[in-house]
Every structure is written in C-alpha cells, then in structure tokens.
Amino acid sequence: MIIKSLKLKDYRNYEILNIEFDHATNIFYGDNAQGKTNILEGVYLSGTTKSHRGTKDRDLIRFGQDEAHIETVIEKNGVPWQIDMHLKKNSPKGIAINKVPIRRASELFGLTNFVFFSPEDLNIIKNGPAERRRFMDLELSQLDKVYLSDLANYNRTLNQRNRLLKDAYYRDDILDTLDVWDMQLVQYGEKIIQRRLWFIEEVNAIIGDIHHKLTGGRERIGLSYEPGCGALSLEAALEKNRERDIRMKSTSVGPHRDDICFMAGGIDIRRFGSQGQQRTAALSLKLSEIELVRQIIKDTPVLLLDDVLSELDKHRQNYLLDSIHDIQTLITCTGLDEFVNHRFSINKVFHVQNGHVSKEN
C-alpha cells in the first residue's frame, strides 16, 4: 500500500493544502510548531478515524471554522482508493470511500495500514499501562474489524456498568440488573483478552531478534500479557470483586485494566530498566509492529515518523533507517543533516513554515 496524495481544508493550521507523495521517502522539515505533525496526523486520521494524539474532532478544525475536510488517495494492489472525511464541530464525522458514504467508521478499517512512531512512543515502556493498552488497541483495530467491534461493545458496556454502580448509591434496587451487564462484559472482554494474547504471541516471535541486534547482542527481550484478573476467569474476577466495585463505584477488573510486561535479562524493564533500555525496547516494539503488519496483510504499511530520529543515538538511527528502506515513509524533522550524514535516500523534500508547505528539488 502507498499513499498518493493528501488534501486538507481548514484542518489545524492549514486553510488549504495539496500534497502529492513519492512512493518511497518523503521528508517534511521546518521549525517546531509550524504544522509538520499536523500533516502526519491528517494522514493517520484518514485511515483510522482517530488522531494519534487522542484529540477530539472539534479541536482539529481550524480556528474560526465550523468544519474541516481531509481527502486522501491511496493505492492498494495497483487500485486507487479515495477517502474523504468531514470533521464537524457539533456532529459525528462523515466518511466516504470512492465518494460513497459509509455508515460505520469500522468499514474503513482494513483498507489502510499506518504505523505511527512519535517521540512519545519512546516512553511507552516507562509510562503507565493505559499507553500500552492503547498501543495494542490501535494496532489490533487496524488489523481486525471484529476486534474493533468487540472493543467498542466492551467500552459501551463498561460505561453502562460504571454508571449503574454510581447510580446505585441513590437506588440500590438497580443492582439487580448488574448480572446483565456482567454477562455482556464477559462476552466481549474474553474475546478482547484472547485476541491480545494472540497479538503478544505474534510480536514475541519477531521482537527478540530485533532487540538482540539493537543491543549489539547483549539483550533479548520478551513480552507477556498481564490480565488484571490474574489466574481467574473474567467472570470469576467480576464476581469476586463485586462488593469492592459497588463500594468504589467503578469496575476494577477487565481488559481495561490489563498491561504488557517487558522482560530483558530477567529484569522487568518497565520498573527497573534504565532509560536507555526502555527506549530501545520501545524502538524494538515499533519495528516489530511494522514487520507484524507486513506478515498479516501480505503488504507493507505506510510508516509515519514524527521527529523520532533526533531522540535516538547514531546506532539506533542507523538501525531504524536501514529497516525502513523498502517502506513508503513520511518523516518530519527540524533539519536535513541527519539524513545527509547517514547518506539516506531522500525522494521528496518539503519545507513547512507557518501552515504553508513548499516542495524543494
């Protein structure tokens, strides 16, 4: 898969923007806060319906406007596809594929595959479990429409159960309906856990060798899934924690509380690894994500690199750049020196300044 072009209208700091991409490497350089990341965000949003920053639709619309438009053209197996997305302040986004409106955003999933890598991702190991769950959910949602549906149903059920637990403070008779919500939570939650276990198993088959090379043969990393319910089934854990949930007015167990453990040399590097170990593990994880997507979709994803190279030392820069030479890549940076120094092939260069993008030869 490759992305051919992007058009933005009233999106973030862009009034109008039209870009045609090269099928290989595209560099966007310029000072900070000029709009480089907004371009990558627009691309990612058009394929996943979500901002990588978790921003709400209304905050993506240019100041003073009521709606924004993104048009993305991709090519998959030689066939072009046009994705149109309208963002509105006070209503759900509208999406069309080849000018035909779709009813559910999930219909878009599977058409595109993007891997987004930002400096924040280098902290995925040392930060809290929520970021690691988000990593799994974003990738699995692109690869598996059923997972996306199960996740949406689980979150909806979880919200209903938590609302009931809060309302029960005033009306304890409604606790009689708790069994109904628990049954649905188990139905969707078990499917999510099983799919995440599969995901971790697949990543484990890839990440060990990558991490071994990145560390010069010093370390080999392994991942394991940590369900909050421990050895209990989700159904048994919900029953065991029911009184606590009623008292705390919140659901204490389930996939919304689970985590991933990263072990290297017998050490849990989330808690005891050095900053260098944690960042190397995060880089290994993202590189594994690229390879996993390749294996599953039998195609290459588009890689979006947002100012990551400046955060890595020379060895890790070299490894990353060597790993992506055959993938269409959109890269943001503040200067071109790092690419020139690495003799990295650059196919198109764009200068970004205050919401304006100019192509350079």
Side-chain angles (χ1 to χ4, degrees), residues 257-270:
R257 297 277 186 162
D258 296 352
D259 199 0
I260 311 173
C261 178
F262 293 79
M263 298 292 292
I267 295 173
D268 182 348
I269 58 176
R270 294 172 303 180

Side-chain angles (χ1 to χ4, degrees), residues 6 8 11 37-47 70 72:
L6 174 73
L8 301 177
Y11 181 88
T37 298
N38 296 343
I39 295 170
L40 270 56
E41 179 188 47
V43 169
Y44 188 80
L45 183 79
S46 69
I70 305 171
T72 308

Side-chain angles (χ1 to χ4, degrees), residues 227-279:
C229 50
L232 294 175
S233 68
L234 180 54
E235 183 177 12
L238 283 169
E239 185 176 345
K240 178 184 177 183
N241 288 276
R242 176 172 285 198
E243 292 303 318
R244 176 189 175 192
D245 288 356
I246 292 171
R247 190 169 64 253
M248 303 300 292
K249 306 179 185 61
S250 180
T251 305
S252 58
V253 292
H256 64 290
R257 297 277 186 162
D258 296 352
D259 199 0
I260 311 173
C261 178
F262 293 79
M263 298 292 292
I267 295 173
D268 182 348
I269 58 176
R270 294 172 303 180
R271 299 180 175 91
F272 306 111
S274 66
Q275 183 171 336
Q277 281 180 304
Q278 292 171 341
R279 291 164 76 83

Side-chain angles (χ1 to χ4, degrees), residues 76 173 188 280 332:
K76 197 165 185 177
D173 60 300
Y188 298 119
T280 301
T332 68

Side-chain angles (χ1 to χ4, degrees), residues 139-161:
E139 190 50 58
L140 276 167
S141 293
Q142 285 196 79
L143 295 172
D144 186 347
K145 288 185 179 182
V146 176
Y147 182 87
L148 178 65
S149 174
D150 288 337
L151 184 64
N153 285 325
Y154 178 86
N155 287 332
R156 187 161 49 247
T157 305
L158 178 65
N159 289 335
Q160 293 283 357
R161 187 181 193 268

Side-chain angles (χ1 to χ4, degrees), residues 287-305:
L287 290 170
S288 301
E289 181 184 358
I290 295 168
E291 184 57 33
L292 179 60
V293 172
R294 275 175 163 170
Q295 291 180 10
I296 292 174
I297 69 172
K298 310 302 181 188
D299 197 0
T300 55
V302 173
L303 179 61
L304 310 174
L305 281 179

Side-chain angles (χ1 to χ4, degrees), residues 28-191:
F28 297 86
Y29 81 96
D31 294 336
N32 292 325
Q34 301 300 303
K36 303 187 300 294
T37 298
N38 296 343
I39 295 170
L40 270 56
E41 179 188 47
V43 169
Y44 188 80
L45 183 79
S46 69
T48 65
T49 76
K50 298 182 184 299
S51 162
H52 71 286
R53 296 183 271 205
T55 310
K56 295 179 179 177
D57 286 358
R58 63 175 177 267
D59 296 323
L60 300 171
I61 300 170
R62 193 165 69 93
F63 184 75
Q65 303 301 312
D66 293 322
E67 62 179 64
H69 178 230
I70 305 171
E71 178 194 299
T72 308
V73 177
I74 69 164
E75 186 178 291
K76 197 165 185 177
N77 300 320
V79 178
W81 297 82
Q82 179 176 317
I83 302 167
D84 287 281
M85 192 170 289
H86 284 276
L87 309 178
K88 303 168 186 177
K89 276 192 174 178
N90 301 311
S91 57
K93 62 171 67 73
I95 307 171
I97 301 175
N98 289 340
K99 300 190 181 298
V100 178
I102 60 176
R103 294 178 60 188
R104 293 183 301 274
S106 60
E107 295 177 48
L108 181 61
F109 283 76
L111 182 60
T112 66
N113 281 99
F114 297 115
V115 173
F116 202 111
F117 193 8
S118 69
E120 290 75 23
D121 291 318
L122 290 168
N123 296 320
I124 192 173
I125 312 298
K126 75 172 184 178
N127 286 356
E131 288 199 32
R132 294 185 283 275
R133 289 193 298 269
R134 186 170 178 268
F135 163 75
M136 284 190 290
D137 290 341
L138 284 174
E139 190 50 58
L140 276 167
S141 293
Q142 285 196 79
L143 295 172
D144 186 347
K145 288 185 179 182
V146 176
Y147 182 87
L148 178 65
S149 174
D150 288 337
L151 184 64
N153 285 325
Y154 178 86
N155 287 332
R156 187 161 49 247
T157 305
L158 178 65
N159 289 335
Q160 293 283 357
R161 187 181 193 268
N162 285 339
R163 189 174 300 128
L164 183 150
L165 291 169
K166 289 180 174 65
D167 291 346
Y169 181 80
Y170 306 100
R171 289 183 52 207
D172 60 2
D173 60 300
I174 63 175
L175 287 174
D176 295 339
T177 63
L178 199 55
D179 285 341
V180 176
W181 297 114
D182 284 6
M183 183 175 65
Q184 291 187 41
L185 211 63
V186 170
Q187 177 188 347
Y188 298 119
E190 290 285 6
K191 292 178 182 178

